[in-house]
Amino acid sequence: SPQRSQLLIDFYVARRQLEESRLDPDPRAEPDEPSVCALFSRAADGPGTMRLCCKPRPLLLLPLLEPAFLNGHSPRVSVNPWALTHRLLPHRGLKTKGPASHLTRQQESVEVLGQLFHRDDYTNVTAKILSKVGRNLHNRAHHPLWLIKERIKAHFYRTYTGRSGTPLFSVHDNLSPVVTVEQNFDSLLIPPDHASRNKGDNYYLNRRHMLRAHTSAHQCDLVRCGLDAFLVAGDVYRRDEIDSSHYPVFHQMEGVRLFSNHELFAQVEHGEDLCLFESGGRRTPQKQETHTLEAVKLVEFSLKRTLTRLVRHLFGEDLEIRWVECFFPFTHPSYEMEVRFQGDWLEVLGCGVMEQELVCSAGAENKMGWAFGLGLERLAMVLYGIPDIRLFWSEDERFLKQFCLPHIDDTVTFQQLSKYPPLINDISFWLPAEGYTENDFYDLVRTIAGDLVEKVSLVDQFTHPKTEKVSHCYRLTYRHMERTLTQEEVRLIHQAIETAAEQELGVQGRY
């Protein structure tokens, strides 16, 4: 019945919420000492340094876990009605496209890191995603992401120092992931109609605020702060497919280095006669219109030498490297670095000469520089042999203890936990006439099943010859990383997904 199906949804969402409230550290704990530059993260109308301030109600959710409740007979307990209607699918009928439905008073705002953000027609962040905010895996000692970050940080500290012997690069790894749309896109010269702004690819709190899609969202603020050389590390959020190498929350680290005319040409013979900029120039594949060719070549040499040293520090001195020309809106020329690892070429980072318009807008019009960005999960999976990106969120001691190393540069290869058998179920449905995107479905699956779903694949598409209605069939692979799932519990979760897909996405089931 519809009532029973809704109870199933409540049950599995509530169970995931309760498990996460037990695993997460105290959300109301005092925040770490903020970085000075956290002031520039303009997350909302208040200070930038914020902590996740959720309101877990485990006692109110317990009745949902009782067998009597599952059988359709609610036990005789007093339960706040709000607790039963407040689901991880927080806004019924809200899709990637189209207006939001009516919101109750409790649902008029989203609370993130102690700050309230008013919902509007752009709000699409789910409570499942918000539960990840503040986890900061990259700052958790002896976590594999922390190891990678610390190895990169130590390399830069040791290799690049100022005249007094102090590190040249500052490190900022505690900036708020809540940023403005201007920070995430406009400050990086990303056009208003660019596909990367789509609601289907990002998590919006409202039209003005979002969870950052890249750590580059802080570039302009830090340059405006007066910094010439810095590293930024943090969690980033993108709506994405479900498989072993994609997750809606992952971690990036990026670097920026700016040069004045004197700094760039100080070691060049007759450098006093050279300049960073020229007037009347034109843009070519090799340079921007305002840069001199000799300045670009020196900046490019500095960039490639810096990154070559870094990856050889991580992978070994004999590493084979190649550079591939590419395009990014915020750098030109732009490159991707690929490394030869275990017989295959792997892309490990993107980089380039920063667009001068971006540098000038941040108040450093007399300088030019380079920037790079890399994914911490990608490096950790390759270096440590971690096969599934979900493992980074595991609380299993068998996983975490493997990375408690005496020194961050010690080698370690992940020892596979017992791989429990998968259970596979298909779901097919007719799509609504408009407003459906695959990322909406992936988000819904993650909200209800959490990390129990290892992979979701679109295995069949069909267009009815008469009605022209489109049908999708998805294959869901369920696999728990710490125990064997039973077909019965997977069947209940799958049924909850089917029901929620019809109610939340407006699809018509074919099951």
mmCIF file of all heavy atoms in Angstrom, residues 46 70 117 126 150 225 301 322 325 351 408 450 458 464 476:
data_model
loop_
_atom_site.group_PDB
_atom_site.id
_atom_site.type_symbol
_atom_site.label_atom_id
_atom_site.label_comp_id
_atom_site.label_asym_id
_atom_site.label_seq_id
_atom_site.Cartn_x
_atom_site.Cartn_y
_atom_site.Cartn_z
ATOM 1 N N GLY A 46 27.183 36.237 7.448
ATOM 2 C CA GLY A 46 27.947 36.280 8.683
ATOM 3 C C GLY A 46 29.366 35.835 8.453
ATOM 4 O O GLY A 46 29.854 35.769 7.337
ATOM 5 N N LEU A 70 7.424 -1.429 11.171
ATOM 6 C CA LEU A 70 7.624 -1.960 9.825
ATOM 7 C C LEU A 70 6.429 -2.759 9.348
ATOM 8 O O LEU A 70 6.124 -2.822 8.165
ATOM 9 C CB LEU A 70 8.882 -2.827 9.777
ATOM 10 C CG LEU A 70 10.204 -2.075 9.763
ATOM 11 C CD1 LEU A 70 11.350 -3.066 9.757
ATOM 12 C CD2 LEU A 70 10.297 -1.172 8.558
ATOM 13 N N PHE A 117 20.191 29.212 5.436
ATOM 14 C CA PHE A 117 20.093 29.710 4.078
ATOM 15 C C PHE A 117 18.664 29.492 3.588
ATOM 16 O O PHE A 117 18.151 28.377 3.638
ATOM 17 C CB PHE A 117 21.085 28.990 3.160
ATOM 18 C CG PHE A 117 22.523 29.200 3.544
ATOM 19 C CD1 PHE A 117 23.126 28.351 4.467
ATOM 20 C CD2 PHE A 117 23.249 30.247 3.018
ATOM 21 C CE1 PHE A 117 24.433 28.545 4.843
ATOM 22 C CE2 PHE A 117 24.559 30.444 3.385
ATOM 23 C CZ PHE A 117 25.160 29.599 4.303
ATOM 24 N N THR A 126 20.593 17.772 -0.677
ATOM 25 C CA THR A 126 19.861 16.818 0.145
ATOM 26 C C THR A 126 20.506 16.706 1.523
ATOM 27 O O THR A 126 21.682 17.032 1.708
ATOM 28 C CB THR A 126 19.857 15.430 -0.508
ATOM 29 O OG1 THR A 126 21.191 14.916 -0.537
ATOM 30 C CG2 THR A 126 19.296 15.496 -1.922
ATOM 31 N N GLU A 150 49.238 15.798 3.593
ATOM 32 C CA GLU A 150 50.420 16.125 4.389
ATOM 33 C C GLU A 150 51.704 15.897 3.609
ATOM 34 O O GLU A 150 52.688 16.637 3.776
ATOM 35 C CB GLU A 150 50.420 15.294 5.676
ATOM 36 C CG GLU A 150 49.333 15.692 6.667
ATOM 37 C CD GLU A 150 49.478 17.124 7.151
ATOM 38 O OE1 GLU A 150 50.599 17.490 7.567
ATOM 39 O OE2 GLU A 150 48.495 17.883 7.086
ATOM 40 N N CYS A 225 43.651 38.832 -0.606
ATOM 41 C CA CYS A 225 44.191 38.891 0.753
ATOM 42 C C CYS A 225 45.670 39.270 0.748
ATOM 43 O O CYS A 225 46.245 39.571 1.794
ATOM 44 C CB CYS A 225 43.996 37.521 1.419
ATOM 45 S SG CYS A 225 44.450 37.404 3.145
ATOM 46 N N PHE A 301 57.573 27.208 -17.459
ATOM 47 C CA PHE A 301 58.687 26.389 -17.008
ATOM 48 C C PHE A 301 58.630 26.189 -15.499
ATOM 49 O O PHE A 301 58.835 25.069 -14.995
ATOM 50 C CB PHE A 301 60.013 27.053 -17.391
ATOM 51 C CG PHE A 301 61.228 26.361 -16.839
ATOM 52 C CD1 PHE A 301 61.704 25.196 -17.429
ATOM 53 C CD2 PHE A 301 61.883 26.864 -15.714
ATOM 54 C CE1 PHE A 301 62.819 24.548 -16.911
ATOM 55 C CE2 PHE A 301 62.998 26.222 -15.194
ATOM 56 C CZ PHE A 301 63.462 25.059 -15.791
ATOM 57 N N ARG A 322 54.010 13.022 -19.096
ATOM 58 C CA ARG A 322 53.755 13.737 -20.339
ATOM 59 C C ARG A 322 52.705 14.821 -20.088
ATOM 60 O O ARG A 322 51.889 14.724 -19.172
ATOM 61 C CB ARG A 322 53.315 12.788 -21.441
ATOM 62 C CG ARG A 322 51.920 12.200 -21.294
ATOM 63 C CD ARG A 322 51.603 11.248 -22.452
ATOM 64 N NE ARG A 322 50.254 10.706 -22.365
ATOM 65 C CZ ARG A 322 49.787 9.754 -23.170
ATOM 66 N NH1 ARG A 322 50.561 9.242 -24.109
ATOM 67 N NH2 ARG A 322 48.534 9.313 -23.046
ATOM 68 N N GLU A 325 47.870 19.282 -23.872
ATOM 69 C CA GLU A 325 47.198 20.576 -23.947
ATOM 70 C C GLU A 325 45.694 20.378 -23.788
ATOM 71 O O GLU A 325 45.117 19.427 -24.304
ATOM 72 C CB GLU A 325 47.511 21.258 -25.279
ATOM 73 C CG GLU A 325 48.964 21.671 -25.437
ATOM 74 C CD GLU A 325 49.206 22.440 -26.722
ATOM 75 O OE1 GLU A 325 48.222 22.697 -27.456
ATOM 76 O OE2 GLU A 325 50.376 22.771 -27.000
ATOM 77 N N CYS A 351 46.367 22.148 -14.937
ATOM 78 C CA CYS A 351 47.124 23.331 -14.554
ATOM 79 C C CYS A 351 47.181 24.298 -15.724
ATOM 80 O O CYS A 351 46.731 23.999 -16.832
ATOM 81 C CB CYS A 351 48.528 22.941 -14.118
ATOM 82 S SG CYS A 351 49.505 22.122 -15.425
ATOM 83 N N ILE A 408 54.740 9.934 7.398
ATOM 84 C CA ILE A 408 53.809 10.124 6.284
ATOM 85 C C ILE A 408 54.361 9.612 4.960
ATOM 86 O O ILE A 408 53.596 9.296 4.046
ATOM 87 C CB ILE A 408 53.398 11.607 6.144
ATOM 88 C CG1 ILE A 408 54.635 12.490 5.934
ATOM 89 C CG2 ILE A 408 52.581 12.065 7.334
ATOM 90 C CD1 ILE A 408 54.289 13.942 5.646
ATOM 91 N N GLY A 450 22.103 5.075 0.790
ATOM 92 C CA GLY A 450 23.412 5.449 1.289
ATOM 93 C C GLY A 450 24.513 4.778 0.491
ATOM 94 O O GLY A 450 24.452 4.661 -0.735
ATOM 95 N N LEU A 458 22.919 2.663 -16.314
ATOM 96 C CA LEU A 458 21.800 2.723 -17.251
ATOM 97 C C LEU A 458 22.016 1.623 -18.290
ATOM 98 O O LEU A 458 22.912 1.714 -19.131
ATOM 99 C CB LEU A 458 21.743 4.096 -17.917
ATOM 100 C CG LEU A 458 20.642 4.302 -18.958
ATOM 101 C CD1 LEU A 458 19.264 4.136 -18.347
ATOM 102 C CD2 LEU A 458 20.789 5.677 -19.605
ATOM 103 N N HIS A 464 8.836 4.603 -26.827
ATOM 104 C CA HIS A 464 7.623 3.970 -27.338
ATOM 105 C C HIS A 464 7.303 4.540 -28.720
ATOM 106 O O HIS A 464 7.254 5.769 -28.898
ATOM 107 C CB HIS A 464 6.448 4.223 -26.388
ATOM 108 C CG HIS A 464 5.283 3.331 -26.636
ATOM 109 N ND1 HIS A 464 4.401 3.523 -27.676
ATOM 110 C CD2 HIS A 464 4.851 2.219 -25.961
ATOM 111 C CE1 HIS A 464 3.466 2.585 -27.633
ATOM 112 N NE2 HIS A 464 3.724 1.779 -26.616
ATOM 113 N N LEU A 476 21.068 -1.664 -10.351
ATOM 114 C CA LEU A 476 21.636 -1.258 -9.068
ATOM 115 C C LEU A 476 22.401 -2.423 -8.464
ATOM 116 O O LEU A 476 21.835 -3.504 -8.260
ATOM 117 C CB LEU A 476 20.552 -0.788 -8.094
ATOM 118 C CG LEU A 476 20.033 0.648 -8.259
ATOM 119 C CD1 LEU A 476 19.336 0.852 -9.602
ATOM 120 C CD2 LEU A 476 19.091 1.004 -7.115
#
